[in-house]
């Protein structure tokens, strides 16, 4: 693994660690994130990790482009992932039901299985949070088992309820707030992913692990979930 630096602006550049998406790459990206944050200190304006890269935005009043470039290279020299670089593990309760997960029966039918087996398979593995984006707190997670991979909807919905859990290709995600979206919705969680009172605001960070746990409608409501059917929401 040899980091490559690519200029993207007067005050920013990308550190490219890999060329393909792989769960095994996340410890390296997480370790690089920690090393770069420590190296840049107060000169760091923002650092955004993604699937294979990290975007560094630095303060040009503190560092020249050459100084920032050299600082990044020094921070990444001899980089090794450590156990401490691993993210948190979250267990997210989900109410899987056609009323809040309209694509649940369609995907099960395509696979020739019942919805209970589909739910069990979606809940059957830990997912890595590759990146945050699209909306505050929205974590792109994967990889869904290959057989469950489902293309995005041809026509995105104008409104997807907060907490909706969906699949798109080999990724899965949770909508943190009501928004447009084209993912295949399987269910809904009562867990708030974005909270201004939470340190860092977002429940997830890149490198975290997420496992879904099926719960009943009653448990979903008890935990603060809104059971309004997706297609009925105004």
């Amino acid at each position: 693994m040899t980091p490559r630096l690519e200029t993207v602006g007067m005050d920013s550049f990308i550190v490219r660690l890999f060329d393909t998406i792989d769960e095994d790459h996340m410890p390296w990206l997480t370790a690089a994130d920690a090393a770069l944050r420590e190296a840049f200190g107060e000169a760091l304006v923002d650092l955004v990790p993604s699937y294979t890269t990290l975007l560094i935005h630095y303060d040009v009043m503190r560092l020249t482009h050459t100084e920032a470039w050299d600082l990044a290279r020094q921070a990444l020299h001899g980089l090794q992932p450590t156990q401490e670089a691993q993210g948190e593990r979250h267990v997210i309760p989900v109410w899987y039901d056609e009323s809040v997960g309209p694509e649940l029966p369609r995907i099960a039918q395509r696979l020739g299985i019942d919805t209970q087996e589909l739910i069990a398979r979606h809940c059957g593995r830990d997912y890595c949070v590759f990146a945050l984006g699209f909306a505050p707190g929205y974590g792109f997670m994967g990889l869904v088992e290959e057989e469950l991979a489902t293309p995005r909807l041809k026509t995105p919905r104008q409104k997807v309820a907060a907490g909706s859990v969906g699949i798109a290709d080999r990724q899965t995600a949770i909508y943190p707030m009501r928004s447009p979206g084209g993912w295949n919705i399987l269910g809904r969680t009562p867990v708030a992913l974005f909270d201004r009172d939470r340190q860092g605001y977002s429940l997830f960070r890149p490198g975290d692990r997420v496992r879904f746990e099926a719960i009943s409608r009653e448990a979903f409501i008890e935990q603060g979930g809104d059971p309004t059917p997706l297609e009925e929401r105004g």
Side-chain angles (χ1 to χ4, degrees):
M1 191 276 298
T2 303
R4 305 193 303 276
L5 276 56
E6 305 168 6
T7 300
V8 294
M10 294 179 60
D11 58 356
S12 55
F13 57 89
I14 284 176
V15 176
R16 185 174 301 281
L17 299 186
F18 303 99
D19 294 316
T20 58
I21 299 173
D22 193 309
E23 296 174 65
D24 292 338
H25 295 165
M26 289 310 298
W28 292 89
L29 288 154
T30 305
D33 181 283
L36 291 165
R37 288 183 187 278
E38 182 177 358
F40 277 76
E42 294 184 356
L44 185 68
V45 176
D46 198 11
L47 179 57
V48 184
S50 188
Y51 300 92
T52 58
T53 63
L54 302 100
L55 173 65
I56 299 176
H57 179 195
Y58 60 90
D59 187 347
V60 294
M61 301 300 291
R62 294 175 180 267
L63 295 172
T64 66
H65 180 76
T66 300
E67 289 171 339
W69 198 274
D70 290 342
L71 197 60
R73 288 196 178 280
Q74 291 169 16
L76 297 171
H77 179 72
L79 181 73
Q80 290 291 329
T82 64
Q83 189 62 37
E84 290 72 24
Q86 304 299 313
E88 293 185 47
R89 186 175 186 270
H90 308 269
V91 177
I92 302 297
V94 178
W95 175 39
Y96 292 91
D97 188 83
E98 184 176 354
S99 65
V100 293
E103 278 70 62
L104 188 65
R106 179 173 62 81
I107 294 176
Q109 184 178 26
R110 175 177 64 82
L111 295 176
I113 59 178
D114 60 30
T115 56
Q116 290 306 308
E117 183 176 344
L118 173 57
I119 293 166
R121 289 170 67 171
H122 188 247
C123 293
R125 62 170 61 188
D126 285 3
Y127 299 103
C128 177
V129 179
F130 288 118
L132 299 180
F134 174 63
Y138 191 103
F140 292 89
M141 297 177 273
L143 294 167
V144 172
E145 63 173 281
E146 205 164 341
E147 192 175 10
L148 300 188
T150 306
R152 288 172 172 80
L153 301 177
K154 292 182 179 179
T155 303
R157 291 185 171 91
Q158 294 184 358
K159 297 175 182 177
V160 178
S164 294
V165 178
I167 288 177
D169 299 315
R170 292 199 66 193
Q171 294 188 84
T172 188
I174 305 168
Y175 286 78
M177 56 194 66
R178 189 175 71 169
S179 65
W183 290 44
N184 301 276
I185 307 303
L186 305 182
R188 191 178 297 169
T189 180
V191 175
L193 299 190
F194 183 79
D195 186 343
R196 294 186 183 277
D197 294 328
R198 178 189 291 131
Q199 183 177 4
Y201 302 137
S202 174
L203 177 64
F204 299 147
R205 286 184 57 82
D208 284 0
R209 313 292 296 188
V210 176
R211 180 172 286 251
F212 297 111
E213 179 180 65
I215 60 173
S216 67
R217 182 180 189 274
E218 291 72 25
F220 173 76
I221 294 173
E222 286 176 4
Q223 295 177 40
D226 178 1
T228 305
L230 182 61
E231 305 299 350
E232 292 182 9
R233 299 186 65 88

